[in-house]
Amino acid sequence: MSEANKQFEYFSLRVKPLLETLYDKKTAAHFLERLYYLLKEHFADRVDENLNKWTENNVQLITYGDSILKEGEKPLVTLDRFLDEHIRDTLTGVHILPFFPYSSDDGFAVIDYLKVDPQLGDWEDIQRIAGKFNLMVDLVINHVSSQHAWFEQFKQGIKPGCDYFIEVDPATDLSQVVRPRSTPLLAKVNTVKGEKHVWATFSEDQIDVNFANPEVLLEYVKIILFYIKKGAKYIRLDAVGFLWKKIGTSCIHLPETHTVIRLLREIVQMLDPMVALISETNVPNRENLSYFGNRNEAHMIYNFSLPPLILNALLQGKSDHLKTWMMSMPPAPIGCAYLNFTASHDGIGLRPTEGLLYEDEYQTLLEKMQEFGGKISMRNKSDGTEVPYEVNISFFDAMQGTVKGKDKWQIQRFLCSQTIMLALEGIPAFYIHSLLATPNDLEGVEKNGRNRSINRYKWNYEELEKRLKNPKSPQSIVLKELSRRIKIRRKQPAFHPNATQYTLHPLNKALFVFWRQSIYRDQSIFCINNLSDRTQKLRLSDLNLFIIDPWCDLLSGHPIENLHDKFTLKPYQCAWITNKF
């Protein structure tokens, strides 16, 4: 058998069963060949799964292309300069949020997947950053802008776009559909064939595409191929849980959706084994975990329960819910990892807290976030009632106080929250406004009329530089100290994303303590975090430190002289006690 035939046989073996799950056999056979001839010239030399996509060294940044602006300069050039001056030696990856031409939702209503918004820059600017950092690119896979060429074709009755969307009779019972927003599910649109109603999960400007049409699948495979050729190492599948629609169901997490992710993973694996798929599903924890599949779907999943649980723990000054959640979290499968974060361009999701917080604590969290300047966004349930969906607030300002009110510990409390995230199993990701201690942008909310604008501030480059040069500013203090802790973290084998993690149980609820052990078991790190505004003590003998090893706190640099002493932690202090330093 020729090499070409062997290649096709392998491709068919991996892809055909998945296509046949989605479509009838005749259609699957036809599209198998089309996919193969689209991709065959781009296959990697080796298609073995790469289980070493990441190490303890990987730390990610999340940013918009225009989070920092300099007059007379393209924002992507300004971003590149900021990264070189402040981030180059600290972080290894950059997620540039949608940088394509768009019509709404700050980039998530994409007009053209293959172009860079000229107001930001061009592909040369993107590739310059990709040459220095592992680039994460958004694939907004569930929907397109109402101004996308495909939807214009739909309105004109022109192929291929006329077959790419989901028409629904507005009298259809869609009450079972899970909604992430309070907007109508169907958008009314005028076409050459009259008025039609199309599926629009997120807004009337974001029209869902129809993956039941295999031509749509083919379009998105072409886009993935294009991104990989442009240097993307991570591809984020935005809103992927809503991808497949079946009337009479919830239309979220359907088996067909999981099959599409499996198919995309197989294809990405054959194109470049170093590229990873990340699922973005802001849902309750058990549902979120399903996107690992049988280690054959997403390579990484966002740890959506982490932000609200860390927030609640630091508000309450106690670790019980955080510990309960951590004990319930399975280790990520081999070849997979959690993506840990506390803040992003969106709000702090509340659905991931379902079943994890007491009702009184949940209500207190909502009240305190509003007291600290935050907003609460709502969604519609199937019974027509509205419930909170997310808290919109700068994570730095979410740390202004506790259940007792505002206090003087904001910076220390915030650093504690980020240090916990840094130490957990998985790959840490920092939103740029967390690194920069950006406060609530209330003017942005008023100007744009959107709650999420509160955490999407655009810094003036000169003003930011002035703040960073002032050693007493929150921006300077936080960026300097987080950079120091990140650099320490990147050197520790026990912080490998797949290294062992165990929850420990000191009697003092104000302490959150866990143990990490390197894959080769030569390093242990005991992560101790004081969640309270009071000094706390922990008996080191409770940690079961090996008496034959010398021990040191990596964060303070202080050696541990006596393993029988009590270890003292100031308010919100963190310690990483290790036997290898």
Side-chain angles (χ1 to χ4, degrees):
M1 185 182 294
S2 69
E3 286 301 315
N5 285 341
K6 287 181 182 178
Q7 188 183 65
F8 180 75
E9 285 295 319
Y10 179 80
F11 182 81
S12 179
L13 178 69
R14 306 297 299 184
V15 172
K16 185 178 179 181
L18 299 171
L19 287 173
E20 289 182 345
T21 300
L22 298 171
Y23 312 110
D24 63 77
K25 287 192 175 183
K26 183 177 179 181
T27 300
H30 173 66
F31 277 88
L32 178 72
E33 289 196 8
R34 290 182 62 187
L35 276 172
Y36 175 72
Y37 285 107
L38 168 67
L39 301 172
K40 68 174 186 174
E41 294 181 3
H42 307 285
F43 287 144
D45 293 334
R46 295 179 60 87
V47 296
D48 300 338
E49 184 177 6
N50 188 330
L51 299 178
N52 300 301
K53 288 184 175 70
W54 43 71
T55 69
E56 59 276 7
N57 191 50
N58 290 83
V59 183
Q60 197 79 12
L61 176 72
I62 305 167
T63 181
Y64 278 104
D66 59 356
S67 290
I68 305 171
L69 298 173
K70 183 178 174 65
E71 188 174 352
E73 186 170 77
K74 292 186 294 185
L76 286 171
V77 173
T78 305
L79 176 63
D80 184 44
R81 175 185 288 107
F82 173 80
L83 295 174
D84 277 343
E85 293 174 353
H86 298 286
I87 302 296
R88 186 74 180 273
D89 297 329
T90 304
L91 306 181
T92 60
V94 177
H95 173 197
I96 306 177
L97 290 154
F99 46 78
F100 318 105
Y102 71 96
S103 55
S104 65
D105 201 14
D106 285 348
F108 286 91
V110 178
I111 294 174
D112 191 330
Y113 289 101
L114 306 183
K115 292 181 180 178
V116 176
D117 184 345
Q119 294 185 56
L120 294 177
D122 53 33
W123 275 112
E124 185 177 334
D125 299 318
I126 295 290
Q127 289 181 285
R128 187 182 305 114
I129 294 172
K132 305 170 188 175
F133 298 91
N134 294 324
L135 177 67
M136 184 186 295
V137 174
D138 282 285
L139 181 61
V140 185
I141 197 169
N142 179 69
H143 51 262
V144 299
S145 164
S146 64
Q147 298 179 31
H148 193 286
W150 296 342
F151 198 60
E152 291 297 328
Q153 292 166 359
F154 173 83
K155 290 189 290 185
Q156 297 300 320
I158 300 171
K159 285 186 177 295
C162 64
D163 300 321
Y164 282 7
F165 300 93
I166 305 165
E167 297 178 43
V168 183
D169 183 333
T172 304
D173 180 4
L174 301 173
S175 60
Q176 294 187 52
V177 176
V178 170
R179 301 306 320 286
R181 303 269 175 93
S182 294
T183 53
L185 178 59
L186 301 181
K188 183 169 63 176
V189 59
N190 293 317
T191 76
V192 294
K193 296 181 180 179
E195 185 178 278
K196 295 181 181 290
H197 292 80
V198 293
W199 205 291
T201 298
F202 290 89
S203 78
E204 63 180 5
D205 187 44
Q206 294 165 288
I207 313 301
D208 290 36
V209 292
N210 184 13
F211 271 86
N213 178 353
E215 295 287 353
V216 171
L217 172 65
L218 192 65
E219 295 280 11
Y220 281 90
V221 171
K222 291 177 184 177
I223 295 166
I224 289 173
L225 175 60
F226 180 80
Y227 291 167
I228 292 174
K229 289 167 69 176
K230 290 295 186 182
K233 290 302 179 187
Y234 301 124
I235 296 174
R236 176 182 180 271
L237 303 177
D238 177 69
V240 70
F242 300 96
L243 179 141
W244 200 278
K245 280 75 177 179
K246 188 182 293 182
I247 292 173
T249 73
S250 65
C251 296
I252 187 170
H253 316 317
L254 296 185
E256 292 87 350
T257 293
H258 288 280
T259 299
V260 170
I261 298 173
R262 288 178 60 192
L263 177 61
L264 296 181
R265 175 163 171 154
E266 291 289 353
I267 288 171
V268 164
Q269 168 71 28
M270 287 182 255
L271 293 173
D272 185 345
M274 278 300 292
V275 172
L277 294 178
I278 298 92
S279 63
E280 188 264 336
T281 50
N282 193 351
V283 294
N285 197 46
R286 181 172 295 182
E287 298 171 36
N288 191 35
L289 289 170
S290 71
Y291 283 86
F292 279 143
N294 186 19
R295 62 178 300 271
N296 58 359
E297 294 184 30
H299 296 91
M300 290 192 277
I301 64 172
Y302 280 82
N303 221 337
F304 275 108
S305 295
L306 183 60
L309 286 175
I310 284 185
L311 175 58
N312 183 72
L314 288 163
L315 276 176
Q316 298 285 343
K318 57 184 183 181
S319 61
D320 42 358
H321 297 311
L322 204 50
K323 288 198 303 183
T324 299
W325 165 77
M326 180 183 269
M327 289 187 292
S328 72
M329 290 291 285
I334 297 299
C336 300
Y338 294 110
L339 190 70
N340 294 325
F341 71 109
T342 59
S344 73
H345 61 292
D346 289 340
I348 300 169
L350 294 172
R351 287 204 68 203
T353 67
E354 291 176 12
L356 297 175
L357 297 183
Y358 298 138
E359 181 60 25
D360 62 331
E361 292 185 0
Y362 177 81
Q363 293 301 326
T364 298
L365 186 150
L366 297 181
E367 291 167 9
K368 289 300 172 183
M369 290 304 96
Q370 292 175 90
E371 181 182 325
F372 299 161
K375 310 290 182 181
I376 308 297
S377 292
M378 311 295 285
R379 70 179 180 93
N380 283 338
K381 294 180 69 176
S382 58
D383 61 6
T385 59
E386 277 196 331
V387 293
Y389 174 64
E390 66 180 18
V391 174
N392 302 109
I393 193 169
S394 148
F395 207 82
F396 181 67
D397 270 0
M399 297 286 113
Q400 289 181 71
T402 67
V403 293
K404 295 178 287 188
K406 295 182 181 181
D407 59 27
K408 65 180 182 179
W409 299 106
Q410 181 178 10
I411 290 177
Q412 293 87 343
R413 187 181 294 113
F414 178 75
L415 289 171
C416 177
S417 73
Q418 303 307 292
T419 306
I420 291 171
M421 185 266 288
L422 263 178
L424 291 171
E425 177 195 341
I427 297 171
F430 289 88
Y431 188 37
I432 192 167
H433 292 306
S434 291
L435 285 180
L436 299 177
T438 308
N440 292 329
D441 183 11
L442 297 176
E443 288 184 13
V445 175
E446 186 174 345
K447 176 183 176 182
N448 300 318
R450 298 192 302 270
N451 286 349
R452 284 180 169 178
S453 295
I454 200 169
N455 197 27
R456 297 179 180 180
Y457 182 67
K458 299 181 191 300
W459 278 100
N460 173 273
Y461 180 80
E462 285 78 13
E463 173 62 21
L464 178 59
E465 286 297 308
K466 182 180 177 181
R467 299 276 190 100
L468 292 176
K469 288 176 182 176
N470 176 3
K472 295 183 179 180
S473 75
Q475 288 69 41
S476 176
I477 294 169
V478 167
L479 180 59
K480 182 178 180 181
E481 181 58 19
L482 281 181
S483 296
R484 185 185 78 87
R485 296 185 189 193
I486 291 167
K487 289 174 183 177
I488 293 171
R489 189 247 191 227
R490 288 176 56 188
K491 297 177 182 178
Q492 314 308 321
F495 286 146
H496 186 287
N498 300 113
T500 297
Q501 176 173 285
Y502 284 110
T503 311
L504 301 180
H505 302 279
L507 294 177
N508 186 346
K509 287 186 177 182
L511 297 178
F512 179 48
V513 186
F514 54 96
W515 172 51
R516 301 295 309 278
Q517 185 181 54
S518 60
I519 291 173
Y520 294 105
R521 299 184 180 181
D522 56 341
Q523 184 187 34
S524 288
I525 300 179
F526 291 89
C527 305
I528 310 170
N529 308 280
N530 182 357
L531 304 179
S532 75
D533 57 3
R534 296 183 179 184
T535 297
Q536 305 290 344
K537 293 187 177 182
L538 177 70
R539 291 187 305 177
L540 290 175
S541 57
D542 290 345
L543 296 179
N544 196 28
L545 305 182
F546 316 124
I547 200 165
I548 59 173
D549 290 336
W551 293 85
C552 174
D553 172 20
L554 291 168
L555 293 180
S556 68
H558 295 155
I560 307 298
E561 302 289 355
N562 187 341
L563 298 185
H564 300 288
D565 279 350
K566 285 186 177 180
F567 191 81
T568 301
L569 295 103
K570 296 176 183 177
Y572 302 107
Q573 182 182 344
C574 302
W576 291 344
I577 297 179
T578 186
N579 62 331
K580 185 177 181 181
F581 48 94

